[in-house]
Amino acid sequence: MGAAASGVEIVDRDENSYKNVPFATRFKFHASSTPPVRHPLIEDFSHSGEGTELEDAFSGRLVDEFKWRIEKGSNPDANAFNLTGAFTIRVGSDPDRSLQKNGAQLTNGLHWSPERKSLFVRGQVKVNSTNVQSFFGINNTALEFDWPFTVADGIVSSSRSNACGFLCDFDSEGGVIYAVAVKNGVVQSVNTGVYLSPFDYRRYFIMFSETGDAFFYIDRVLVAEIENACSAATIYSPYIIGSSSAVDGKEIYLKNFRIKQAT
């Protein structure tokens, strides 16, 4: 709670904008409002009327299979489930260490397009240890069970024609987070300089323009902008994937997921 000076613009956690707030008006302002860095896209989006939205706090006993499609590795220890208010990927213990043996992924469906008056996707991600790989973002397929992006020696490559998100690989990059994008097979990436640390959630937020530009935020700070990040007319699915190249017992957590596009 606090007083707001006349003329100040206040933005709530759902990107709703309150302009020319009178002096001494009192608000409950949520600490996780995303993002505090104002961008014209967010103002346009928040005033665009009704939209299509998918939101999940993963607080149920089971993952909602009406919302989500889960793929799991063939190793019996590989699993994906709800735990303490988060979707949890538990990696398997097969010595092969491949995604198809030890990993898991969460997708929705091909419903989401930046061309439809902008698009945003957000969520919180953390791990319980190092030696994991993860990707969070959107992808132009909802069925393929493989990595949309990989990174080695600072070079990002992609198996997709159109996708965009955050990529982290402790095995090859020590946990640094990359903003990654591919449009019609052309890959772009930015080393954000931010690291995914065990036990600490990182707040991911990506805003897409109607032309496919992408603006990446971590913990409410703008860390990357990629022009022509992905095809705006393409239909996407949210895509969360994780695995490990080390021993079993590694877990990756996703909570408070939300994706929305204006209509």
Side-chain angles (χ1 to χ4, degrees), residues 164-183:
C164 190
F166 289 104
L167 175 68
C168 181
D169 187 342
F170 278 93
D171 189 45
S172 65
E173 298 294 321
V176 70
I177 301 168
Y178 282 81
V180 296
V182 57
K183 179 178 181 180

Side-chain angles (χ1 to χ4, degrees), residues 10 14 31 33 57-58 95-96 100 127 132 160-161 164 167 191 215 217 231 248:
I10 293 180
D14 294 315
S33 295
F58 303 107
D96 184 332
Q100 287 73 23
V127 297
V132 295
R160 297 290 186 265
S161 57
C164 190
L167 175 68
N191 183 330
F215 304 85
Y217 296 80
S231 169
D248 60 324

Side-chain angles (χ1 to χ4, degrees), residues 67-145:
K67 294 181 179 179
W68 301 108
R69 174 189 177 97
I70 297 176
E71 297 284 352
K72 296 186 287 187
S74 59
N75 186 268
D77 294 328
N79 205 352
F81 50 91
N82 281 351
L83 178 67
T84 61
F87 173 74
T88 301
I89 293 173
R90 181 170 294 165
V91 306
S93 58
D94 193 282
D96 184 332
R97 303 301 174 199
S98 67
L99 174 68
Q100 287 73 23
K101 295 288 183 67
N102 290 336
Q105 75 178 20
L106 186 70
T107 61
N108 169 242
L110 298 175
H111 309 301
W112 312 91
S113 176
E115 189 177 52
R116 297 172 183 169
K117 296 185 179 179
S118 301
L119 171 75
F120 78 71
V121 58
R122 77 182 185 196
Q124 297 184 50
V125 176
K126 76 171 182 177
V127 297
N128 75 342
S129 183
T130 58
N131 300 111
V132 295
Q133 300 90 48
S134 64
F135 172 79
F136 171 93
I138 60 172
N139 185 11
N140 68 331
T141 175
L143 301 178
E144 298 293 333
F145 185 29

Side-chain angles (χ1 to χ4, degrees), residues 17 192 198 252 254:
S17 176
T192 68
I252 302 166
L254 168 70

